[in-house]
Amino acid sequence: MGKTKRVVFLASGRGSNFSASVEFIRKKKLKLDILALVTDNPEAKALPLAKKFGISTKVIPYSSYTSKLDYHRDLLHQVEAYDPDLIVACGYMRILKPDFVQRFPNQIINVHPSLLPAFPGLDSQKQALDYGVKVAGCTVHFVWEGVDTGPIILQKAIAIRPEWTEKELSLAILKEEHKILPLAIQLFCEDKLKIKERKVEILK
């Protein structure tokens, strides 16, 4: 196993995937140094979770910027300052700009509540129900330029029950997100992910 990896988390909301990942990292004693939680939302519930874990936080309030370009420039500068090996977007509600993605090639992973490439973007669970699919799920993927377009690392499928509401489907998917995102972080940490063109090989 290689050197200890340095990770920054990006989150905008409740932070349940952040919490599940931190708990997994510490339980497994992974060679991973959690540098910070960075958020665009001063009210993010992920912030008190980070405090509970003793993890540094950085708030870059999106709403205080009159220019989106200024926000994304500052985000890049702040994250660069941490010099991370891995950036984990978990419930981060901003699309990362091309210069950010290019600065950290194949070092950013994201969890998305659909079986990509189906239903990218927002409201994936509603999209799935409206379309009438029988199976939904979640995906952890590398972040490339574009919305939810990067190489897929892990996926988990679940059968949709006919009576489920959007909320019930979302909660069922979220439980699986809490499993596959930490596992993807572990695979990255252990240098077990190899990208060939746009396919991810998981090394033994």
Side-chain angles (χ1 to χ4, degrees):
M1 192 181 298
K3 70 180 181 66
T4 298
K5 299 291 195 299
R6 297 159 55 84
V7 61
V8 168
F9 284 88
L10 303 179
S12 298
R14 61 194 165 196
S16 67
N17 271 307
F18 166 68
S19 181
S21 297
V22 173
E23 289 173 357
F24 180 91
I25 289 166
R26 293 185 173 176
K27 181 180 178 181
K28 294 287 188 178
K29 298 181 180 179
L30 300 183
K31 293 181 68 176
L32 202 60
D33 183 9
I34 304 172
L35 303 174
L37 169 75
V38 177
T39 182
D40 60 323
N41 177 14
E43 304 300 321
K45 293 181 180 178
L47 287 168
L49 290 173
K51 183 177 181 181
K52 180 187 76 172
F53 287 124
I55 294 170
S56 175
T57 60
K58 183 67 180 182
V59 180
I60 309 172
Y62 184 82
S63 60
S64 70
Y65 285 81
T66 56
S67 165
K68 293 180 181 180
L69 290 176
D70 286 345
Y71 166 81
H72 287 284
R73 180 200 64 210
D74 286 355
L75 174 68
L76 175 56
H77 290 166
Q78 293 288 347
V79 173
E80 272 186 322
Y82 291 110
D83 190 26
D85 299 293
L86 174 65
I87 298 164
V88 180
C90 46
Y92 177 68
M93 300 308 292
R94 308 290 164 195
I95 297 172
L96 295 171
K97 298 299 184 184
D99 57 347
F100 192 106
V101 176
Q102 292 164 13
R103 172 62 181 81
F104 299 101
N106 298 328
Q107 293 174 264
I108 311 167
I109 65 173
N110 178 57
V111 61
H112 182 75
S114 81
L115 295 173
L116 292 173
F119 313 124
L122 298 175
D123 302 320
S124 297
Q125 303 92 331
K126 183 177 186 302
Q127 290 184 61
L129 289 176
D130 288 348
Y131 202 89
V133 298
K134 305 302 182 184
V135 176
C138 50
T139 303
V140 180
H141 63 97
F142 283 104
V143 175
W144 282 7
E145 293 179 41
V147 178
D148 301 321
T149 57
I152 290 168
I153 302 169
L154 295 171
Q155 290 184 303
K156 178 64 176 181
I158 59 170
I160 298 177
R161 296 179 183 175
E163 71 274 13
W164 271 355
T165 63
E166 181 184 346
K167 182 178 180 180
E168 288 169 326
L169 175 59
S170 297
L171 289 173
I173 291 174
L174 185 63
K175 289 180 182 179
E176 302 305 326
E177 292 177 35
H178 291 170
K179 299 173 186 177
I180 67 170
L181 178 60
L183 181 55
I185 292 171
Q186 180 178 15
L187 292 169
F188 185 96
C189 170
E190 295 175 351
D191 298 317
K192 291 183 177 179
L193 301 178
K194 183 177 181 180
I195 300 175
K196 293 183 177 179
E197 296 180 354
R198 66 156 295 107
K199 294 181 179 179
V200 177
E201 178 185 354
I202 298 177
L203 306 176
K204 300 295 185 182

